[in-house]
Amino acid sequence: MEIIFNTPTAPKDTENVENKQNFHIVTPGEQITSDPAFMRGHGTYTQDDVVMSSVAGVVERVNKLISVKPLRTRYTAEIGDVVVGRITEVAQKRWKVDINGKQNAILLLSSVNLPGGVQRRKTELDELNMKSFFAEGDLIGAEVQAFFHDGASSLHTRNLKYGKLRNGSLVVVPPALVRRCKSHFYTLPCGVDLILGLNGYIFVSKHPEKKVEELSPEELYSDKNEEITFYQRSTIARVCNCIKALAKRYMYINDSIIIYAYEASLPYKISDLLHDDICEVIVEKAKLQIEMQQAL
Amino acid sequence: MDKRRINGPEISVKPIEKKITQTNSNDNEIRKNNRSIENIRPIFIKPNVIKKANGSAYYEAENIKVICGVYGPRSSKRSMVSDEGNIYCEFKFAPFSCNKRCGYIRNAQEREYSLIIQQAFLPAIRLNLYPKSTIDIYITVLENDGTTACLAAAITCASIALTDAGIQMYDLVAAASATCIKGNICLDPDASEEENDTNSKFMLSYMPSLKQITHVLCTGKMEAEQSIEAINTCIDACNSIKTVMDHCLINSL
């Protein structure tokens, strides 16, 4: 086995960093404020008019609302979010989908587009054939439509953008790193498609030859990968590793930073991209480019 | 005998252990390990050690080594209709952790300890925020030096792991153990002090900021005054453990 040594780095001076950036970091049970004028937000609770933290993280203050944001937590869904999920169970008229949340999300049979027209009535036959649309283990792209009374989220795939995912690879990053943007579907200049799920699941796939509208219904729900050339495979792998490298350095993830990271990664071998040193170089380069663009 | 695993040879020889001969200058000392009665072993905690878990922590205090992984909150396997989430805990001594080799399957003591840990965390976690979901806590003791102290270590370690997972809690839970030797309350007993069965054992888990006790475990004979004294000394110990926990959490962020 090959052994790679990292260049030595100085230990982080945590106390200094805290003072400089003026973060307010709290641990569970720590008092944040006793001023009754403040409202409690996520990650806090009140006890005798004192706002206390219930997670370990950074205190965020928006006017009178105090919330604590933990670094690593599960995804909390919001209506309109684009998510990528994995089917875990096929139940009566519904699919259970793992979206990295506190509970499994639910995809109702009535909120998917079935082959043969958007306005088609759902028949009993469709209910019996549910497994042929989405089976356990399939990856889907979907949107959060509503919430049930118990907090579980309801998804829908009533758009040709959404639906079964194939011809690609899944990358899992902390959900906090994916920012909300105008669009979550991208085609990168290097010829791969990208779905940035807000739940931290990112799907990188080959750019389809046919447009979605031209696909036959059988192809829409197909399990089989199309032919993917070696070049396409390596591009997908490189993009995946770039995303992993960004996540490793706790860098936020959107389309432009992935493009810059991809460009910065080109001199290196794909398998080397995840070594700490190379990670740092790529992420720093991408960061610099973003800053340059913002300055323009 | 478990046929599916690779078992050791039937005839085995115990390795010759180097006997640590502690030269006790004066026998008047209550403890034999050069600690004062109110002294706990130095603690090292590191969160986020298991990549695949949602939260994890490693705890070390001299010869006690505990690792804990937290998975969840995730959807309950059994679909129960409940407004609150539930906690599932699995406490296990690694086969190589104790002086006597223990099995792969959890024995009665480990199962009892799992329940105790579960109970110790019930008042601390905001379960009303996690309906229909389960939080799974898996604790493995890698090295055992005092079973009661291990239980206390497991609770402290699990508390850090839960915080690392971003689970909402009212407060951190710290735990301390004590024993009664010759009428004196000694904190954080090690294996040699526990061997003597006449010593009673005491374990307390405590939420330091809220000043609430979540669980008390007392086995063996103990006078009422002694137990009150034990509670007070353990609470003091928990407060000092809490500062260690806070420090480690802030450094990890």
Side-chain angles (χ1 to χ4, degrees):
Chain A
M1 206 184 107
E2 197 188 354
I3 300 172
I4 294 117
F5 292 97
N6 291 326
T7 44
T9 45
K12 273 187 283 176
D13 190 357
T14 39
E15 289 190 2
N16 216 347
V17 170
E18 257 174 65
N19 291 341
K20 248 191 250 165
Q21 308 195 331
N22 210 6
F23 282 147
H24 186 187
I25 297 175
V26 289
T27 53
E30 198 172 319
Q31 181 180 332
I32 300 172
T33 174
S34 53
D35 190 345
F38 286 107
M39 291 193 304
R40 61 185 179 89
H42 290 297
T44 59
Y45 65 98
T46 45
Q47 176 130 31
D48 311 325
D49 283 344
V50 177
V51 180
M52 311 258 259
S53 162
S54 62
V55 290
V58 187
V59 178
E60 284 183 347
R61 191 165 294 181
V62 182
N63 294 328
K64 290 277 177 203
L65 182 76
I66 289 184
S67 52
V68 182
K69 204 172 179 193
L71 185 63
R72 283 155 30 91
T73 185
R74 291 184 89 91
Y75 166 68
T76 32
E78 279 175 46
I79 290 175
D81 282 0
V82 175
V83 295
V84 173
R86 197 182 281 281
I87 307 277
T88 55
E89 200 184 321
V90 183
Q92 279 275 309
K93 289 184 188 172
R94 67 191 62 198
W95 291 273
K96 299 256 173 80
V97 191
D98 164 38
I99 56 162
N100 195 22
K102 289 164 193 162
Q103 293 179 44
N104 284 345
I106 284 164
L107 175 66
L108 290 169
L109 179 61
S110 55
S111 45
V112 300
N113 269 348
L114 293 179
V118 184
Q119 300 293 337
R120 190 162 79 83
R121 266 180 72 99
K122 264 90 194 171
T123 58
E124 270 177 33
L125 199 69
D126 289 327
E127 222 178 300
L128 294 170
N129 284 338
M130 275 176 68
K131 254 195 188 151
S132 64
F133 305 133
F134 299 125
E136 287 98 339
D138 284 350
L139 274 175
I140 58 159
E143 188 181 296
V144 180
Q145 188 176 32
F147 294 109
F148 292 105
H149 62 277
D150 61 359
S153 41
S154 163
L155 306 178
H156 82 94
T157 58
R158 282 197 159 270
N159 191 323
L160 286 172
K161 296 189 289 189
Y162 306 129
K164 196 178 260 182
L165 301 175
R166 60 191 181 123
N167 298 334
S169 157
L170 177 79
V171 190
V172 180
V173 300
L177 295 181
V178 185
R179 290 191 173 172
R180 290 199 166 75
C181 349
K182 254 189 255 166
S183 167
H184 287 269
F185 296 87
Y186 297 103
T187 304
L188 300 186
C190 49
V192 299
D193 274 10
L194 197 67
I195 302 175
L196 295 174
L198 278 164
N199 55 344
Y201 288 5
I202 297 174
F203 194 74
V204 187
S205 62
K206 131 186 160 166
H207 187 65
E209 284 138 26
K210 280 194 230 167
K211 277 190 183 153
V212 197
E213 292 81 21
E214 294 163 3
L215 281 174
S216 68
E218 287 75 40
E219 278 175 300
L220 266 179
Y221 284 102
S222 152
D223 272 343
K224 297 249 161 45
N225 278 342
E226 290 162 18
E227 188 129 327
I228 309 171
T229 60
F230 178 77
Y231 175 73
Q232 283 169 325
R233 274 175 204 273
S234 49
T235 326
I236 290 171
R238 189 178 282 276
V239 173
C240 284
N241 274 0
C242 285
I243 296 169
K244 280 181 199 159
L246 290 166
K248 225 173 164 181
R249 308 283 309 167
Y250 287 111
M251 192 66 203
Y252 68 89
I253 287 163
N254 62 10
D255 62 321
S256 46
I257 199 148
I258 292 174
I259 294 169
Y260 290 136
Y262 176 82
E263 283 166 5
S265 79
L266 285 173
Y268 302 101
K269 250 166 68 186
I270 299 170
S271 53
D272 288 345
L273 289 181
L274 291 177
H275 297 151
D276 288 350
D277 282 355
I278 299 172
C279 259
E280 198 172 334
V281 172
I282 294 168
V283 176
E284 286 306 314
K285 264 192 188 168
K287 218 160 125 187
L288 215 70
Q289 290 230 293
I290 288 273
E291 276 161 14
M292 263 163 62
Q293 186 145 67
Q294 277 167 352
L296 280 175
Chain B
M1 179 107 152
D2 195 344
K3 288 264 166 61
R4 281 166 297 184
R5 294 179 201 275
I6 302 163
N7 293 297
E10 296 221 343
I11 310 153
S12 60
V13 184
K14 209 180 167 195
I16 303 150
E17 281 172 30
K18 211 175 172 187
K19 272 268 184 254
I20 305 156
T21 45
Q22 282 178 329
T23 45
N24 281 59
S25 48
N26 48 344
D27 283 338
N28 304 341
E29 266 187 14
I30 302 158
R31 306 189 93 167
K32 297 218 164 68
N33 44 19
N34 299 326
R35 279 197 282 153
S36 74
I37 55 167
E38 283 184 350
N39 199 337
I40 58 170
R41 283 168 270 192
I43 297 169
F44 168 79
I45 313 174
K46 190 181 176 198
N48 196 9
V49 285
I50 307 171
K51 285 277 159 341
K52 288 278 169 191
N54 294 111
S56 57
Y58 172 75
Y59 176 106
E60 186 175 324
E62 286 185 3
N63 281 336
I64 289 183
K65 294 181 183 73
V66 180
I67 195 160
C68 171
V70 170
Y71 298 81
R74 55 187 178 189
S75 254
S76 302
K77 290 265 155 52
R78 289 172 290 153
S79 56
M80 303 171 287
V81 183
S82 65
D83 300 336
E84 286 202 334
N86 54 329
I87 315 169
Y88 173 76
C89 177
E90 213 171 287
F91 178 90
K92 184 83 190 80
F93 283 112
F96 48 83
S97 64
C98 310
N99 277 342
K100 206 179 151 216
R101 190 179 162 82
C102 45
Y104 295 100
I105 302 147
R106 284 193 298 165
N107 60 24
Q109 188 196 31
E110 285 162 342
R111 243 176 265 144
E112 186 199 333
Y113 280 5
S114 306
L115 269 179
I116 290 169
I117 295 166
Q118 202 173 325
Q119 284 163 2
F121 279 110
L122 273 175
I125 299 177
R126 300 176 69 184
L127 286 171
N128 56 329
L129 296 175
Y130 303 110
K132 280 171 73 183
S133 17
T134 330
I135 297 163
D136 297 316
I137 308 170
Y138 296 96
I139 300 161
T140 309
V141 176
L142 301 173
E143 196 172 347
N144 177 4
D145 191 11
T147 314
T148 332
C150 269
L151 178 60
I155 292 175
T156 313
C157 183
S159 177
I160 294 289
L162 284 166
T163 318
D164 186 42
I167 288 164
Q168 305 224 7
M169 295 198 287
Y170 288 110
D171 195 0
L172 289 170
V173 182
S177 58
T179 184
C180 186
I181 304 172
K182 295 174 195 156
N184 292 293
I185 303 294
C186 297
L187 276 175
D188 200 9
D190 61 21
S192 62
E193 287 165 329
E194 257 185 7
E195 257 172 27
N196 195 343
D197 280 338
T198 52
N199 298 344
S200 53
K201 292 160 199 161
F202 189 86
M203 199 280 302
L204 175 127
S205 64
Y206 180 69
M207 297 197 275
S209 311
L210 297 177
K211 298 189 173 59
Q212 284 174 9
I213 294 171
T214 61
H215 202 278
V216 179
L217 175 79
C218 185
T219 47
K221 198 175 153 197
M222 210 180 226
E223 302 289 328
E225 291 102 63
Q226 279 182 337
S227 4
I228 292 164
E229 196 195 327
I231 289 175
N232 286 327
T233 42
C234 278
I235 285 175
D236 288 341
C238 285
N239 283 325
S240 48
I241 292 171
K242 153 94 169 163
T243 50
V244 177
M245 291 162 84
D246 274 350
H247 188 76
C248 108
L249 281 174
I250 287 170
N251 271 342
S252 75
L253 285 177

